Amino acid sequence: MNASELDARLQALSENRGFDIYWHVRLAAGGEELTRGGDAVLPSASVRKTSVMMAALHAAAEGRLDLDQPVVIAKEAQPGILSGVCQYMTPGLTFPMRDAILQMIITSDNICTYEVMKGLEISEFTDYCRRIGMANTTHRTRLPPLGLSPEHALDHVTTTTARDQVLLLQLIYAGAKGDADAIARLGVDAEHCAMALRFLTWQRFRSMIPGHLPTMAEVANKTGWGERGWMDSAIVFKDSAPLYIMSITTDRVPRVMPNGLPGRVASTAAIAELSRACWDALG
């Protein structure tokens, strides 16, 4: 299947789902890029945390953040946290900043996200995204606001585009392989780009882009969900080499679908089907 045929297949799979789907895909072999609203600015939810990680690693490279500094889980930080594991841990649990970044990625831990971000201004994360070419990504909060309606305005949350997320993953992979231009652009050395890539491959949430792939398929991904929908961004590997880089966001997802299933189920299934179509076409 060539790129235009795959594009037609992905477009067809995105129709008549009962909600909106936006995606951007880069085919690793030839560099072709396919898109469906890939420049639409949408809620990022926890997909934002990949750029938070890279901005933090850039700050560490500049000496403004210490990856060995202790992070202490405080009791007062635990109430109201919905994502991750540290809200369930014994207060006083202590580990290095490096592990806070890890938990932010693999369990989407929001206490750890706050700890990673708190020493930097929120605007610094947006500035970092602009520096590396993520022109349509804007960070607005350290913790996701609670109590938003499904119709909430975009300026209440961090926003991004599928194209921006694909670019970010492309740069991380290139940096991990020692590409000088990617390393300079990210402001993160090859060793720490490789660490970031490993963290993404250790992701615990695999129901979306990896969801319909072979069980042990190698995928470096970061998921997210919010009041408006679900999202995932990933590098999918085959035989230890990238096969495709993909970012998908669903928006305006009903809480309950006409068949009675939660919108979450329909949304994650749609994302998994789009990824599987790429796997079958390219692998």
Side-chain angles (χ1 to χ4, degrees):
M1 186 181 292
N2 62 33
S4 62
E5 291 170 332
L6 175 57
D7 182 65
R9 174 66 176 149
L10 296 176
Q11 299 290 351
L13 284 171
S14 303
E15 295 291 338
N16 302 316
R17 289 285 185 169
F19 44 82
D20 300 328
I21 303 181
Y22 303 84
W23 44 259
H24 194 78
V25 185
R26 179 179 174 84
L27 312 187
E32 301 97 330
E33 297 196 1
L34 314 177
T35 199
R36 180 185 178 93
D39 292 315
V41 175
L42 296 162
S44 71
S46 289
V47 169
R48 72 190 173 107
K49 294 171 185 175
T50 305
S51 59
V52 170
M53 170 172 63
M54 298 313 295
L57 293 177
H58 173 58
E62 292 189 329
R64 297 183 293 117
L65 184 72
D66 182 358
L67 297 181
D68 293 321
Q69 71 188 62
V71 171
V72 181
I73 302 305
K75 183 176 182 179
E76 57 268 24
Q78 294 176 312
I81 298 295
L82 302 179
S83 183
V85 296
C86 286
Q87 65 269 38
Y88 307 116
M89 299 300 194
T90 303
L93 174 68
T94 303
F95 44 79
M97 179 62 70
R98 177 261 186 205
D99 291 355
I101 295 172
L102 171 66
Q103 285 298 324
M104 176 180 72
I105 296 298
I106 71 170
T107 69
S108 211
D109 194 287
N110 275 339
I111 293 177
C112 288
T113 303
Y114 180 83
E115 291 294 328
V116 172
M117 296 183 74
K118 74 177 184 181
L120 302 171
E121 297 296 327
I122 292 173
S123 61
E124 291 184 61
F125 294 92
T126 298
D127 291 344
Y128 179 77
C129 289
R130 297 291 183 275
R131 163 203 168 108
I132 66 174
M134 298 174 71
N136 294 302
T137 297
T138 303
H139 287 264
R140 294 188 173 92
T141 65
R142 292 186 175 90
L143 290 174
L146 299 177
L148 293 178
S149 76
E151 295 78 31
H152 71 77
L154 291 175
D155 61 5
H156 291 168
V157 296
T158 294
T159 50
T160 191
T161 68
R163 189 187 299 271
D164 276 3
Q165 293 300 318
V166 167
L167 170 64
L168 177 59
L169 293 173
Q170 182 184 350
L171 288 171
I172 293 170
Y173 179 79
K177 293 301 178 181
D179 181 276
D181 290 341
I183 288 168
R185 195 162 166 182
L186 290 167
V188 178
D189 64 22
E191 177 184 357
H192 288 94
C193 286
M195 183 181 80
L197 186 63
R198 284 197 306 277
F199 286 3
L200 290 163
T201 65
W202 295 342
Q203 176 61 247
R204 299 296 86 197
F205 298 114
R206 291 175 57 92
S207 64
M208 288 189 264
I209 288 176
H212 288 185
L213 303 184
T215 300
M216 298 305 293
E218 184 181 3
V219 180
N221 71 303
K222 182 69 196 80
T223 63
W225 65 273
E227 292 298 330
R228 289 175 46 155
W230 278 256
M231 55 286 291
D232 197 2
S233 296
I235 307 172
V236 176
F237 296 84
K238 191 168 188 181
D239 300 326
S240 301
L243 188 62
Y244 54 95
I245 305 174
M246 168 178 262
S247 182
I248 310 175
T249 295
T250 60
D251 194 36
R252 310 293 185 184
V253 179
R255 292 192 182 276
V256 180
M257 301 301 292
N259 63 5
L261 288 176
R264 167 186 55 81
V265 174
S267 183
T268 57
I271 293 171
E273 288 174 26
L274 288 164
S275 178
R276 183 68 199 208
C278 291
W279 178 274
D280 290 341
L282 302 171

